[in-house]
Amino acid sequence: TFDSHEAYGFVVPDDKRINRDIFIAKGEFKGAVSGQKVVVRIISYPEGRSAAEGEIVEVLGHKDDPGVDILSIIRKHQLPEGFPEDVLAEAEAAPESISDEEIAQQGRRDLRNKVIVTIDGEDAKDLDDAVNIERLENGNYLLGVHIADVSYYVREKSALDQEAYRRGCSVYLVDRVIPMLPHRLSNGICSLNPQVDRLTMSCEMEFDATTLKRVRHDVFTSVIRTKERMTYTNVRKIVADKDPEVMERYAELVDTFTLMEELAMRLRSTRMKRGAIDFDFVEAKVIVDPEGKPVDIVKRERSVAEQIIEEFMLAANETVAEHFYWLKVPFLYRIHENPDSEKLLHFVQFAANFGYTVKGKGGSEIHPRALQTLLEDIRGTKEQTVISTVMLRSMKQAKYDAQSLGHFGLAAEFYSHFTSPIRRYPDLVIHRVMREVLENGGTLPESRIEALAARMPDIAQQSSERERVAVDAERDTEKLKKCEYMLDKIGEEFEGIISGVTSFGIFVELDNTVEGLIRLSNLNDDYYHFHEQHMLLIGERTSKMYRIGDELRVRVDAVSMIEHTIDFAIVESKAESVERG
């Protein structure tokens, strides 16, 4: 934020890690006036007591103008905006439709007569996965997962490819998407829109009807024509609510969805048995009006429809990873390393405070199944959120790797990201490898293996880094809009639950997922001590305790749009005091 003092100016950085203002000499204002958001380049770093000096490279607009807040976050994370000319030109050159000659000469498997559907959110524009299911004569399930063949249009080392590599993934901010590929591709020829021919990469899996073991699978290039663009809402209305109107509208698909639900729920229970960890966190979406003003916060439902797609994508991702692992070709895996044993031990002790034991032979020997069992034990209890949160924090972050190191959270030996090539670069990369291997009869020439193997670690690292940036930017815009949403609620009271306890205060999460802080300095009924291991505050005189999971009634005291923080004050607490023994 620019602040002019006529003879000179200062820029106050958004990033709180830079705790000193940047000096701007009179000639370098570039027309900026006080209160505007600007992008500044540092010319000289601070020395001794003198400030860093900078020059203004871009004026974004006044900090209160619509959209400038999000734009500032886009600049802070250096996210790309438009696409370079050569990239757009390549996207424009992509065809609108697919010719029969094209399909014939590529030797693709023709699946256009199969009942294949997409299931997505109402507002999704880039449909990159479609599914179909059949019960075979032997009683087994045949599941097909068909993914947009983006790699056919985005060739290795093309301008489109290099730009996608730089971006790494699409970024979903509160009011806009910053796509990895231009709309011409992502919402056009690559999107599996209903009733049109589309090129796809398919993974077909046959599951044994009794054991649910995968008895056969096949990975191949294909062409599909989806019957219907289904939404999660309508699929839920068919399988869960048995809504007569929706069932009538999609009468010929009802059996398909019923079978899908049956297989998905069985896959899910098998996955849980082997120890996959399922965090049941509530996600919320901030709804903004055309001006970018937040008007509502709605919780995202994870209904049976979302779970169907989730299970089918997981199955395909595992199958593809394992298939190419055994072919010994260079590949990109999605890995989740085992937690650090010390962190896990801390977590086990933390859970013990609530009276829960985690089975296992000590720190490093804990199987994810033991953690999943704990999550099931706490479901529906008031400490559910806290224990899940602390468990999640004790784990490592999933990332991409050229080596298959397994996925702890999914309890999967092999895992890859194969299902979203429109919005994730790693998926696009493995599609290329897959096609090349398929075209070469199941292997690759030695020289090609070496060339690919040399590049994979770099692509894995770049993709992991870009994913972190995207997550941070998404969180920033969400936090910003949640603060803005609470601006006109100062003085109002809400029920909340303690989501974090620190040495400087108590974090409280409201039912609408907004989080705020009760500062320790404002708890003036006692002197509170922070116990790190038990994550609680305890009053010296009253022995009153505050710990994660406790319910509180709070008042919104202040909202800072500069810091993106919310301050709460306690109205009443259901905290109990401990008897002194």
Side-chain angles (χ1 to χ4, degrees):
T1 309
F2 183 68
D3 189 11
S4 165
H5 293 265
E6 289 182 13
Y8 59 90
F10 274 105
V11 171
V12 183
D14 286 354
D15 193 329
K16 294 295 161 264
R17 290 171 300 189
I18 307 171
N19 52 11
R20 292 169 67 174
D21 300 347
I22 298 158
F23 177 83
I24 309 288
K26 180 133 180 101
E28 301 294 341
F29 287 11
K30 299 281 194 305
V33 298
S34 283
Q36 282 185 325
K37 285 292 215 184
V38 297
V39 179
V40 65
R41 180 189 292 116
I42 305 240
I43 321 174
S44 71
Y45 284 93
E47 279 180 34
R49 299 183 61 175
S50 65
E53 269 189 59
E55 58 180 5
I56 289 174
V57 288
E58 186 184 9
V59 178
L60 301 178
H62 193 275
K63 64 181 193 320
D64 299 334
D65 288 351
V68 170
D69 48 4
I70 301 275
L71 197 55
S72 304
I73 289 173
I74 289 174
R75 289 292 185 276
K76 168 185 163 185
H77 293 284
Q78 297 181 18
L79 296 172
E81 283 241 88
F83 286 92
E85 287 303 313
D86 55 344
V87 175
L88 288 172
E90 277 187 14
E92 282 308 317
E96 281 285 335
S97 57
I98 299 157
S99 67
D100 287 335
E101 299 83 65
E102 231 182 321
I103 294 167
Q105 87 194 49
Q106 288 179 43
R108 288 176 179 267
R109 207 173 294 180
D110 190 343
L111 305 177
R112 286 175 293 185
N113 57 348
K114 288 195 181 288
V115 181
I116 297 177
V117 295
T118 56
I119 310 178
D120 289 275
E122 263 77 0
D123 46 5
K125 311 259 190 306
D126 46 355
L127 316 178
D128 46 16
D129 52 88
V131 289
N132 74 305
I133 191 166
E134 293 165 38
R135 196 184 289 282
L136 301 173
E137 284 178 5
N138 59 11
N140 289 353
Y141 303 93
L142 183 69
L143 170 66
V145 173
H146 315 281
I147 308 297
D149 190 353
V150 181
S151 67
Y152 178 74
Y153 299 99
V154 180
R155 294 295 175 161
E156 194 174 5
K157 297 200 171 67
S158 63
L160 273 168
D161 178 40
Q162 290 170 17
E163 182 66 18
Y165 168 83
R166 277 194 289 277
R167 294 180 178 226
C169 56
S170 296
V171 187
Y172 295 83
L173 304 178
V174 169
D175 64 343
R176 72 194 78 186
V177 178
I178 299 178
M180 180 176 86
L181 298 168
H183 285 300
R184 175 76 204 282
L185 292 172
S186 60
N187 301 1
I189 191 73
C190 293
S191 184
L192 306 180
N193 301 333
Q195 311 286 352
V196 288
D197 291 350
R198 287 291 183 258
L199 304 181
T200 40
M201 298 287 279
S202 294
C203 174
E204 247 184 23
M205 298 153 277
E206 181 183 334
F207 296 97
D208 183 291
T210 41
T211 63
L212 223 62
K213 285 252 187 303
R214 193 181 70 223
V215 290
R216 184 183 64 79
H217 72 271
D218 197 3
V219 181
F220 52 92
T221 59
S222 52
V223 55
I224 67 169
R225 181 184 295 161
T226 60
K227 283 271 180 289
E228 203 59 74
R229 179 205 186 298
M230 297 297 295
T231 62
Y232 290 129
T233 309
N234 282 338
V235 172
R236 187 192 75 229
K237 283 181 177 166
I238 293 170
V239 297
D241 310 343
K242 307 272 186 273
D243 180 313
E245 194 187 329
V246 185
M247 288 179 82
E248 192 178 329
R249 184 176 3 154
Y250 298 111
E252 50 178 352
L253 292 171
V254 170
D255 290 348
T256 297
F257 294 126
T258 312
L259 191 58
M260 280 184 182
E261 183 200 17
E262 180 186 314
L263 174 62
M265 291 306 117
R266 289 190 64 188
L267 283 171
R268 184 177 159 74
S269 97
T270 309
R271 204 163 59 77
M272 291 302 151
K273 278 197 196 83
R274 80 175 185 203
I277 301 172
D278 182 41
F279 288 106
D280 211 3
F281 287 119
V282 176
E283 284 187 25
K285 186 176 164 65
V286 184
I287 309 291
V288 294
D289 68 10
E291 291 280 276
K293 218 177 115 54
V295 288
D296 199 6
I297 299 175
V298 295
K299 289 186 175 175
R300 283 211 181 106
E301 243 207 293
R302 212 171 125 208
S303 73
V304 60
E306 276 90 345
Q307 288 181 346
I308 288 173
I309 289 299
E310 203 175 294
E311 293 306 323
F312 291 177
M313 296 307 129
L314 286 169
N317 282 335
E318 278 189 55
T319 303
V320 165
E322 183 172 2
H323 182 94
F324 287 89
Y325 174 81
W326 292 117
L327 287 180
K328 296 189 168 39
V329 292
F331 213 62
L332 275 182
Y333 298 93
R334 176 75 172 171
I335 66 158
H336 184 216
E337 293 163 287
N338 292 353
D340 180 67
S341 52
E342 200 175 317
K343 278 192 172 167
L344 250 193
L345 208 59
H346 271 295
F347 167 69
V348 171
Q349 287 164 346
F350 176 74
N353 296 330
F354 289 89
Y356 294 100
T357 48
V358 179
K359 299 169 187 61
K361 305 195 203 75
S364 56
E365 292 294 307
I366 291 175
H367 190 276
R369 188 183 297 114
L371 299 175
Q372 176 54 27
T373 307
L374 173 62
L375 288 177
E376 281 157 17
D377 292 346
I378 60 176
R379 185 156 294 140
T381 63
K382 68 186 182 89
E383 55 264 18
Q384 177 178 355
T385 315
V386 31
I387 294 183
S388 311
T389 309
V390 179
M391 184 193 293
L392 186 63
R393 285 181 198 151
S394 72
M395 293 191 188
K396 297 197 170 156
Q397 281 170 337
K399 59 178 184 182
Y400 298 102
D401 202 291
Q403 304 301 314
S404 174
L405 303 173
H407 197 294
F408 180 79
L410 292 170
E413 195 179 344
F414 305 100
Y415 199 66
S416 64
H417 270 173
F418 153 72
T419 51
S420 294
I422 292 179
R423 59 185 183 87
R424 292 192 300 229
Y425 192 68
D427 306 47
L428 180 58
V429 169
I430 71 170
H431 275 216
R432 284 201 192 112
V433 176
M434 290 164 70
R435 170 204 313 286
E436 212 177 321
V437 170
L438 293 170
E439 286 171 359
N440 273 297
T443 173
L444 292 176
E446 200 54 50
S447 59
R448 185 63 181 143
I449 287 185
E450 279 172 24
L452 280 171
R455 286 204 58 211
M456 288 304 179
D458 166 61
I459 295 175
Q461 188 180 349
Q462 164 75 357
S463 302
S464 300
E465 283 170 10
R466 296 308 301 165
E467 179 187 27
R468 295 271 20 107
V469 172
V471 168
D472 289 344
E474 286 162 14
R475 273 199 197 130
D476 278 358
T477 55
E478 211 170 83
K479 218 165 144 188
L480 162 87
K481 289 300 174 189
K482 282 180 175 177
C483 283
E484 194 181 335
Y485 178 73
M486 297 302 283
L487 267 178
D488 58 2
K489 297 174 182 53
I490 291 174
E492 287 182 31
E493 294 182 6
F494 295 90
E495 295 293 332
I497 189 161
I498 296 182
S499 56
V501 179
T502 65
S503 55
F504 54 84
I506 301 167
F507 285 98
V508 176
E509 188 176 299
L510 308 184
D511 186 48
N512 62 8
T513 72
V514 167
E515 195 172 55
L517 176 68
I518 299 164
R519 293 175 194 278
L520 198 56
S521 47
N522 293 343
L523 286 176
N524 31 26
D525 62 338
D526 201 345
Y527 181 77
Y528 287 89
H529 291 280
F530 174 55
H531 289 256
E532 191 171 6
Q533 193 195 330
H534 295 86
M535 301 271 278
L536 57 84
L537 285 170
I538 186 160
E540 192 169 292
R541 215 168 25 79
T542 56
S543 298
K544 193 191 271 182
M545 279 201 306
Y546 290 105
R547 65 172 171 190
I548 304 188
D550 288 346
E551 292 166 22
L552 291 179
R553 189 169 179 79
V554 295
R555 183 179 64 242
V556 183
D557 252 12
V559 175
S560 161
M561 287 310 292
I562 297 171
E563 309 266 347
H564 300 165
T565 55
I566 300 170
D567 281 3
F568 290 150
I570 295 182
V571 181
E572 61 174 299
S573 85
K574 306 193 171 78
E576 64 251 53
S577 42
V578 227
E579 289 301 317
R580 290 226 162 130

